[in-house]
Amino acid sequence: MSSTPVPIAIVGIGKIARDQHIPTIAADPNFRLAAVVTRNHPVEGVPAFATITDMATAMPEVKAISICTPPRGRLDLVREAIAAGLDIMLEKPPAATIGEAEAIAEAAAASDVVLHATWHSREAAAVEPALAWLADRTIRNVAIAWKEDVRVWHPGQEWIWESGIGVFDPGINALSVLTRLIGDTVLLETAALRFPSNRTAPIAADLTLSAGAIPIEVAFDFDQRGPQTWDIVIETDGGTLTLSAGASKMAVDGTPVPVADDPEYARLYRRFHHLVTTRTSDVDFSPFRLVADAFMLGRRETVDAFDWAS
Amino acid sequence: MSSTPVPIAIVGIGKIARDQHIPTIAADPNFRLAAVVTRNHPVEGVPAFATITDMATAMPEVKAISICTPPRGRLDLVREAIAAGLDIMLEKPPAATIGEAEAIAEAAAASDVVLHATWHSREAAAVEPALAWLADRTIRNVAIAWKEDVRVWHPGQEWIWESGIGVFDPGINALSVLTRLIGDTVLLETAALRFPSNRTAPIAADLTLSAGAIPIEVAFDFDQRGPQTWDIVIETDGGTLTLSAGASKMAVDGTPVPVADDPEYARLYRRFHHLVTTRTSDVDFSPFRLVADAFMLGRRETVDAFDWAS
C-alpha cells in the first residue's frame, strides 16, 4: 500500500506485544507505532501514556489501537477507545466473560469505530488453503490435539492461571481454526477438565463437539514435555487433511502440500488495515462461546499441583 | 379475548407441565390444549405423540408448542417445530449451552415462527410495579438471597443435577428478575460455587455482579431447610425496595405495597398470545449468560454429598 500509514497505539506491553505486535507493526507499511499505553513497560523511542484517554488527548493523530492486555477489564478499555473514536484490534481471548464480550460487541456496533476481534490462528498459512480443499468434500470427522508446555510458551505469566483461562488460552486457537473451517454451528456436547490442585484454571481438557452429524474430538494439554503438538486432522470422503504446527503446515493423505510462508501477525495486521479502510467490523465470538460451554458442562478432576519450575 | 383459541401442544410432560402449563392453558380462553408430545407420560383425554413431527403431521391444526423438557436437546426440538411452522414457547432455562441457545435464536430469527424464550419469574406480580417505582430513583446497591430446598421443589428430579444446572435452576429466576429491573448490562465479577462431592452441579453459589457502578451481591442455596427465601432488596436514593416470595410481593422501607394477585403462568401465556398475535419474538438470554459466566469464572469448593432422603 502506498497510502499514509495509520498511526496506531498498543495497549498493554507484555509478551505478545513484544513478540508479535511491535515487530509486525514495524515491518508493515500500513501502520506506524505512534504510542503505547502502559503503566510499567515503556517501549524505547515511543511515547507512553497511562490511559487510552490520556494518549488520545495528547496525540489526536492516533487513529487506532491494538489491545494486548490480559482479558480482564477489556470492556472498560473498549469503551475508552470508542469515546476517543479509535478503531480497535482486540487480541484473543476477547474478554473474561461472555457478558463482557457481548457488551463489547454491542458498544462497538452502536459506535462508528471498527472492531476487529482477532483470532491470530485463523491467519495461519494453511487455513485458507484448507478451506479451499474442503470446499468440495464432505467432512466425516475431526480430531484435534493441541498440546504444549505452558512453562515454555507463557513463562511466569500468572494471568494465564486466572479462572476461565488455563489450557484454553492455547486451546481457543484451535477452536478458532475449527470454527473458521466448519462454520459457527459447532456445539459442545461433553467436556472433562483437569484442574491442578493449586490453580483455579484447567491444565488439560478433553472435549466432544459436534457440527451437525460430524463428531469432533478435542484433546488440550498445557503440560506437554518434549515435542509440541498443534494438529487438526479432518477425515473426508476425499481423503484425510492434516493441519500441523498450528495450521501453518498442511498435508493430504500424508503428503505435504506447499503453502505460502506468510506469518500470522503479518496477515492479521493486513486484515485489520483492510477492515479499517473499508469501515467494516469483524466480531465472531464462537470460539469463546465453546470455552464458556466447556466450563459450564465440564466435569472436573483435580490433578497434581502446578509449579512453574517443576 | 373472544377470538378462536390457539390449538397448542405441550412437549415434555414433567412436573412443570403438570403443575403450571396444563392448568394454565385449561383456564386461558386464548389457548386450547390440542396434543402432547411425550413418550411415557400421557395426559388423559389429550392425543399423545412421540415426536413433534408426528404430531404436526397428524394434527396440522396445531399452531403452537410449549417446550417443557429438560434443557438438553432443545435445539433439535426447536428445529423440528420450525420445520412444522409452529410458534414456540420455551421454558427456562432455554438450553444446555450458550452455543445451543445462540443456535436456537438464530434458527428462529431465520424462520417465520414466533419464539418466546420465557422467564416465568419476570411475570411475578410485583415485577412491573417495581419497575415503575424504580423509574425515577437511582439504585445504590442490590442484594439477592434465593434459598430453597431442592428436595421440596424438585423431588427426585435427577436432571436438575446435570452439569450446568443445580442451584442455578432456581437462581436463574432471580437473575431473570434482576436483568428485567436493571437491564441486560449486568456483568459477572466473581463467583464461588459449592459442589456436593457426589454431583457435577453446584448446590450453592455466591456471586458478585455489577451494573455500571451498582454492586450486586447474590447468595443462592439449594439446601435451605425451614423458611424458604426468594428476596431481592434494592437500595435507592429514595428508599429501599424489597421484593419477596419470588417477586410476588413488594414493600418500600418495610411497608407492604399492594400488587395484583396475578399468577406468573397466567401472565406468561397472555404474553405468549400477544406475541403470537403480533408476530413478535421475545428472546433475551442475558440471565443464562450470567450463569455461564459464573461457571467460567467460579472458584469451586467441594461440600458434603447430596442425598435426596437426607
Side-chain angles (χ1 to χ4, degrees), chain B residues 74-205:
Chain B
R74 292 278 181 90
L75 176 58
D76 289 341
L77 297 176
V78 166
R79 284 183 175 146
E80 241 187 300
I82 289 171
L86 298 163
D87 295 325
I88 303 164
M89 179 191 255
L90 201 60
E91 251 296 357
K92 49 72 52 174
T97 61
I98 295 287
E100 198 181 11
E102 298 284 338
I104 286 172
E106 282 168 23
S111 79
D112 293 325
V113 312
V114 168
L115 173 61
H116 184 190
T118 69
W119 302 104
H120 65 77
S121 289
R122 285 187 178 175
E123 303 300 332
V127 172
E128 296 304 316
L131 255 180
W133 187 85
L134 288 167
D136 54 0
R137 290 176 174 87
T138 301
I139 297 174
R140 290 190 173 141
N141 62 69
V142 181
I144 296 176
W146 217 260
K147 301 181 176 189
E148 64 178 58
D149 187 347
V150 61
R151 299 165 194 81
V152 172
W153 301 99
H154 297 277
Q157 289 179 261
E158 278 297 333
W159 69 266
I160 211 104
W161 290 112
E162 282 182 17
S163 298
I165 308 179
V167 76
F168 287 104
D169 184 70
I172 204 170
N173 295 336
L175 298 176
S176 75
V177 173
L178 176 75
T179 46
R180 173 72 182 136
L181 296 179
I182 298 215
D184 66 357
T185 60
V186 178
L187 296 176
L188 187 106
E189 302 291 338
T190 68
L193 311 178
R194 293 192 282 287
F195 284 68
S197 58
N198 61 341
R199 303 283 168 173
T200 62
I203 194 165

Side-chain angles (χ1 to χ4, degrees), chain A residues 70-256:
Chain A
R72 272 264 162 154
R74 290 278 181 91
L75 176 57
D76 289 341
L77 297 177
V78 165
R79 285 184 174 147
E80 242 186 299
I82 289 171
L86 297 163
D87 295 326
I88 303 164
M89 178 191 257
L90 202 59
E91 250 297 355
K92 50 71 54 174
T97 62
I98 295 287
E100 197 181 10
E102 297 284 338
I104 285 171
E106 283 167 24
S111 79
D112 293 325
V113 311
V114 167
L115 173 61
H116 184 191
T118 68
W119 301 104
H120 64 78
S121 289
R122 286 187 177 174
E123 303 300 332
V127 173
E128 296 305 315
L131 255 180
W133 188 86
L134 289 167
D136 54 359
R137 291 175 173 87
T138 301
I139 298 175
R140 290 188 174 143
N141 62 68
V142 181
I144 296 176
W146 218 260
K147 301 181 176 190
E148 63 178 58
D149 187 347
V150 61
R151 300 167 194 80
V152 172
W153 302 99
H154 296 278
Q157 290 179 262
E158 279 296 333
W159 69 266
I160 210 102
W161 290 112
E162 283 181 17
S163 298
I165 310 178
V167 75
F168 287 103
D169 183 70
I172 205 170
N173 295 336
L175 298 176
S176 75
V177 174
L178 176 75
T179 46
R180 173 73 182 135
L181 295 178
I182 297 216
D184 65 357
T185 60
V186 178
L187 296 176
L188 187 107
E189 303 291 339
T190 67
L193 311 179
R194 293 192 283 288
F195 283 67
S197 57
N198 61 342
R199 303 283 169 172
T200 62
I203 195 165
D206 295 322
L207 315 181
T208 307
L209 313 177
S210 68
I214 305 167
I216 302 162
E217 294 294 331
V218 178
F220 292 153
D221 195 343
F222 223 1
D223 193 23
Q224 173 83 354
R225 312 303 176 105
Q228 308 284 288
T229 303
W230 300 281
D231 289 354
I232 301 176
V233 179
I234 303 177
E235 286 189 14
T236 78
D237 61 350
T240 298
L241 175 70
T242 302
L243 297 174
S244 58
S248 66
K249 295 180 182 174
M250 161 173 174
V252 172
D253 295 330
T255 304

Side-chain angles (χ1 to χ4, degrees), chain B residues 34-294:
Chain B
V36 295
V37 177
T38 176
R39 290 182 191 272
N40 302 309
H41 300 93
V43 174
E44 190 168 338
V46 183
F49 300 88
T51 70
I52 292 170
T53 305
D54 290 350
M55 186 273 293
T57 305
M59 299 184 68
E61 67 273 25
V62 174
K63 297 300 178 207
I65 62 166
S66 182
I67 297 180
C68 300
T69 58
R72 270 264 163 154
R74 292 278 181 90
L75 176 58
D76 289 341
L77 297 176
V78 166
R79 284 183 175 146
E80 241 187 300
I82 289 171
L86 298 163
D87 295 325
I88 303 164
M89 179 191 255
L90 201 60
E91 251 296 357
K92 49 72 52 174
T97 61
I98 295 287
E100 198 181 11
E102 298 284 338
I104 286 172
E106 282 168 23
S111 79
D112 293 325
V113 312
V114 168
L115 173 61
H116 184 190
T118 69
W119 302 104
H120 65 77
S121 289
R122 285 187 178 175
E123 303 300 332
V127 172
E128 296 304 316
L131 255 180
W133 187 85
L134 288 167
D136 54 0
R137 290 176 174 87
T138 301
I139 297 174
R140 290 190 173 141
N141 62 69
V142 181
I144 296 176
W146 217 260
K147 301 181 176 189
E148 64 178 58
D149 187 347
V150 61
R151 299 165 194 81
V152 172
W153 301 99
H154 297 277
Q157 289 179 261
E158 278 297 333
W159 69 266
I160 211 104
W161 290 112
E162 282 182 17
S163 298
I165 308 179
V167 76
F168 287 104
D169 184 70
I172 204 170
N173 295 336
L175 298 176
S176 75
V177 173
L178 176 75
T179 46
R180 173 72 182 136
L181 296 179
I182 298 215
D184 66 357
T185 60
V186 178
L187 296 176
L188 187 106
E189 302 291 338
T190 68
L193 311 178
R194 293 192 282 287
F195 284 68
S197 58
N198 61 341
R199 303 283 168 173
T200 62
I203 194 165
D206 295 321
L207 315 181
T208 308
L209 314 176
S210 68
I214 304 167
I216 302 161
E217 293 295 329
V218 178
F220 292 154
D221 195 343
F222 223 1
D223 194 23
Q224 173 83 353
R225 312 303 176 104
Q228 308 284 287
T229 304
W230 301 280
D231 290 354
I232 301 176
V233 179
I234 303 177
E235 286 189 15
T236 77
D237 60 350
T240 298
L241 175 69
T242 302
L243 298 174
S244 57
S248 67
K249 296 179 181 174
M250 161 173 172
V252 172
D253 294 331
T255 304
V257 176
V259 296
D261 183 13
D262 200 2
E264 290 179 9
Y265 278 83
R267 288 176 52 98
L268 201 62
Y269 272 89
R270 286 207 301 276
R271 176 151 177 72
F272 181 48
H273 187 260
H274 177 73
L275 293 171
V276 166
T277 306
T278 57
R279 309 308 301 157
T280 310
S281 286
D282 178 357
V283 182
D284 171 16
F285 292 142
S286 55
F288 192 45
R289 279 205 301 270
L290 288 169
V291 172
D293 288 340

